[in-house]
Each structure stands twice: as C-alpha cells, then as structure tokens.
Amino acid sequence: MIRTSSAAPEACDAAAGWTGRVNTVTARTGRVNIDALLIRPGGCVAWALPAGQGLDAITRVRALGTWFGQPA
C-alpha cells in the first residue's frame, strides 16, 4: 500500500492486518488526484483511492483481502 499524501493516513494503518504480506510507504507523486494506491508485487496498480474520498472499512478490507487474503 502506498500512501501518496497525508490526506489518507488510514490507508497505511489499514494494512496492519496484513503485516508480512503488505508493505506500506509514503511517497510523493505528480498526480494530485490520488491519495493511496495498492500495488501488486508485479508492479500493477490493483486499487486506487481518489483524492478526498474517504476510506471506509468495507472498501479497505475488500481491496486488501482480494489481493492478499484474510488479515492475520
């Protein structure tokens, strides 16, 4: 999970249940319309959080669970 701005700290916190399978980093990007990305090991973007859109628990668990299985 890559958090691209301070607008979505909950995106990185969300990955805590997948420790060992999901690494989190904070990065800068030239794109201002994305707050967080979930990038698969092969480099493909599996999920993106548009800027200003809240990250609800259902969306978070669904995105992480789809690609990384159930949380630990």
Side-chain angles (χ1 to χ4, degrees):
M1 173 82 66
I2 296 180
R3 180 172 59 106
T4 61
S5 74
S6 59
E10 69 275 11
C12 285
D13 295 342
W18 286 265
T19 300
R21 292 178 276 166
V22 176
N23 297 321
T24 59
V25 297
T26 300
R28 288 187 160 184
T29 178
R31 297 197 57 136
V32 296
N33 58 346
I34 300 292
D35 279 345
L37 298 168
L38 180 59
I39 301 176
R40 294 180 13 188
C44 295
V45 174
W47 172 83
L49 178 66
Q53 182 177 343
L55 179 62
D56 63 86
I58 294 170
T59 301
R60 170 178 63 216
V61 171
R62 186 176 297 146
L64 287 162
T66 295
W67 296 104
F68 299 102
Q70 295 300 310

